[in-house]
Amino acid sequence: MTHARWGTAIASLRAQDEAVRAARRRVEEFMDAVADDATDLDELRDRLTTAKAVWQVCEADYLRCVTALLRAHLSRDRPPLRRPVAVVWPRPWRHMWRQHAHDRSGGVWRAIPRASLLAQAEAAGHDEILVDVNEAIRDLQASHHGHRTSPRLYERYIPDRSSLGFSDGRTARTLPGFPDPGHWVNQNFARGDGWRIQPGRKGALRTLEDNERAVHERVEAFGSAVLRLLEHHYGPAAPGRAARLQGAARWIGREQQAVPRLTPWPQKLTTLQGFTLAVLGWLVLVIAAIPWTVGMKARVLTDHPKPILLGAVALAGLGAYGIHRAGPRLMRQPGRTIALTGAAAGVAAYLVMQVQGPVAGYFFAGPFERYEREFSDGCLAASPYRDDAIQSEVADRTLVIRPISGDTTLRLGPAEDGGTHPLRPQDRGTREVLERYGCQLP
């Protein structure tokens, strides 16, 4: 292993440690501002939500990085070149990313080291710094145990109607095969009218919840202990070796830029606003119908319905998402702007509805339309093969043109509805006729 690589890894870990602490302080600042009833509480709460998401994701990245470096040290291996960093979703989906981070607590619970790392650390020795690392791992595992176990201390119960006690009653009958009343199956499907802590387990629940709430402090303590261990063995990072922040850490202090606050919809739409919104919906539906129109003109709707359906659903979804994002800002514009937007959307919807059929029909024309476009309106316009002087039919994917004058019969192909291939001569006589009239052959 090389000390140069460990120096880079330690510098990166220290930068992540500082980023996590900065993200936590940022959350505390917003919480204090909200508690003080500052002005524009809605914006503060929105930025607080973003700051919490950034903090939790940074904390999960930090915990994974600490665990990876500790494993490399205990295995006497080189540190990984790339730090574990969670992906921040692109800007259009950043609100969903924030909600996803909140639902998963940023991934902190999945990043907590398991018993295998503790066993590896205990087998490595008993020096003072390593003892602190082992204790920090045990504390994190206690927090993880509290997070997983505390919900199971609740149960469904049947209240005692004759008693004045809020939680008096008997435990609901458990379902067959699940004797634990705290199992999620019993909590969701047992026949009980009430919800309570299991009798005699309030003290255990309080301990588990305290351990669960302490996970953030324990993550920082674990990271600090591992950082001291690595610096003790490999020396501190070089002063000029500054690590560049990645992932969610780049958005600390820039919550409004990371997840811009969405303008809320009006409580009640006016007649003009409702009409404009309906016209925009009509435009979305007309655009979503384009794949259906193309499929019908190309004669592939019955053979390949799934891609066409997916295309229509995708266009409808994109249009609905665009209205969802831009609609609130539009609804708060002056009435003239809303009216002009609605009028423009109506004109666009009408044009798209009228144009999509002919345009699709031009590209996916039938054999007679292709003959007229490629030959009859061009090189054969003044010949016995013009439209008003022929009899035509399709046989075996071949377009047969019989001139009334009795001249050579033309055979062109492939003759198929909705085809995109140009018509080609199918025999020598047809080619000679086309060449005689100066037609350009593919």
Side-chain angles (χ1 to χ4, degrees):
M1 71 185 70
T2 61
H3 288 277
R5 181 177 292 185
W6 274 109
T8 303
I10 292 173
S12 172
L13 183 60
R14 182 168 293 282
Q16 283 186 299
D17 178 78
E18 295 173 355
V20 169
R21 297 177 189 274
R24 174 176 52 81
R25 290 193 297 269
R26 188 69 173 172
V27 171
E28 293 172 352
E29 292 174 3
F30 281 122
M31 294 180 67
D32 293 340
V34 171
D36 293 340
D37 294 332
T39 58
D40 203 354
L41 282 178
D42 292 338
E43 182 178 354
L44 278 176
R45 291 192 181 98
D46 188 77
R47 296 179 67 180
L48 172 60
T49 304
T50 304
K52 283 184 177 179
V54 170
W55 172 39
Q56 292 171 338
V57 175
C58 287
E59 197 172 55
D61 291 343
Y62 177 56
L63 189 53
R64 285 192 290 266
C65 183
V66 171
T67 303
L69 293 180
L70 179 59
R71 287 187 183 278
H73 167 72
L74 296 176
S75 302
R76 299 184 180 278
D77 198 0
R78 292 184 176 186
L81 292 176
R82 301 184 63 180
R83 292 178 290 160
V85 176
V87 176
V88 178
W89 297 1
R91 188 184 182 92
W93 299 278
R94 201 71 60 77
H95 286 84
M96 292 185 287
W97 168 82
R98 182 177 67 179
Q99 186 61 43
H100 180 70
H102 275 292
D103 294 341
R104 297 177 61 253
S105 299
V108 171
W109 300 111
R110 297 186 62 182
I112 290 178
R114 300 297 183 253
S116 59
L117 181 63
L118 177 60
Q120 188 178 4
E122 289 177 341
H126 300 282
D127 61 88
E128 183 179 352
I129 302 179
L130 198 55
V131 168
D132 294 339
V133 172
N134 297 340
E135 187 64 28
I137 297 176
R138 294 190 189 95
D139 290 341
L140 281 174
Q141 291 180 346
S143 293
H144 187 257
H145 177 70
H147 174 71
R148 297 190 60 183
T149 310
S150 58
R152 303 192 64 164
L153 298 188
Y154 292 86
E155 67 176 9
R156 290 278 186 184
Y157 79 104
I158 302 174
D160 185 2
R161 305 299 181 184
S162 62
S163 175
L164 299 178
F166 178 74
S167 59
D168 293 338
R170 57 187 176 88
T171 301
R173 179 179 298 178
T174 59
L175 298 177
F178 301 95
D180 182 9
H183 196 281
W184 70 269
V185 173
N186 292 316
Q187 290 182 356
N188 288 277
F189 301 106
R191 294 184 177 181
D193 299 329
W195 182 265
R196 69 179 181 182
I197 302 173
Q198 296 178 22
R201 310 201 68 177
K202 291 185 178 180
L205 177 64
R206 188 176 300 111
T207 301
L208 292 174
E209 289 180 342
D210 290 342
N211 285 331
E212 183 179 3
R213 283 191 293 268
V215 66
H216 306 294
E217 292 81 3
R218 291 173 178 179
V219 167
E220 294 183 6
F222 173 57
S224 299
V226 173
L227 190 57
R228 289 196 304 272
L229 176 68
L230 297 180
E231 289 181 341
H232 174 73
H233 284 274
Y234 306 105
R241 190 174 288 164
R244 184 169 60 90
L245 295 179
Q246 298 179 2
R250 296 185 295 110
W251 300 105
I252 297 175
R254 298 192 298 156
E255 294 81 12
Q256 186 61 27
Q257 300 176 24
V259 186
R261 182 189 175 195
L262 294 178
T263 304
W265 285 88
Q267 294 293 332
K268 185 177 181 180
L269 296 178
T270 64
T271 303
L272 183 59
Q273 291 172 341
F275 174 76
T276 302
L277 194 61
V279 172
L280 289 173
W282 177 38
L283 176 60
V284 171
L285 291 177
V286 170
I287 294 176
I290 292 178
W292 294 97
T293 303
V294 173
M296 288 188 295
K297 295 295 183 179
R299 305 297 194 275
V300 296
L301 185 58
T302 57
D303 297 333
H304 306 284
K306 290 185 178 180
I308 296 175
L309 177 61
L310 291 177
V313 171
L315 289 176
L318 290 175
Y321 178 75
I323 294 177
H324 170 71
R325 290 298 302 269
R329 292 194 298 271
L330 174 63
M331 295 299 113
R332 298 183 183 277
Q333 296 297 320
R336 177 178 295 180
T337 302
I338 297 176
L340 290 175
T341 303
V347 172
Y350 179 78
L351 291 177
V352 172
M353 184 175 62
Q354 296 297 323
V355 167
Q356 59 179 296
V359 170
Y362 178 84
F363 288 101
F364 300 97
F368 302 106
E369 290 81 3
R370 289 198 170 277
Y371 174 75
E372 181 179 355
R373 186 190 310 163
E374 297 175 16
F375 301 107
S376 179
D377 291 344
C379 58
L380 301 181
S383 69
Y385 299 94
R386 61 185 182 274
D387 285 344
D388 58 351
I390 61 172
Q391 294 178 345
S392 58
E393 63 176 349
V394 175
D396 297 332
R397 297 187 64 202
T398 299
L399 176 62
V400 181
I401 305 295
R402 295 187 178 92
I404 300 176
S405 61
D407 290 337
T408 304
T409 300
L410 302 183
R411 299 182 182 277
L412 302 167
E416 53 189 7
D417 291 331
T420 58
H421 300 289
L423 295 176
R424 297 179 176 87
Q426 300 295 300
D427 54 26
R428 183 175 181 181
T430 302
R431 180 175 294 275
E432 291 176 352
V433 170
L434 296 179
E435 290 177 350
R436 185 168 68 245
Y437 286 99
C439 299
Q440 294 183 356
L441 301 179

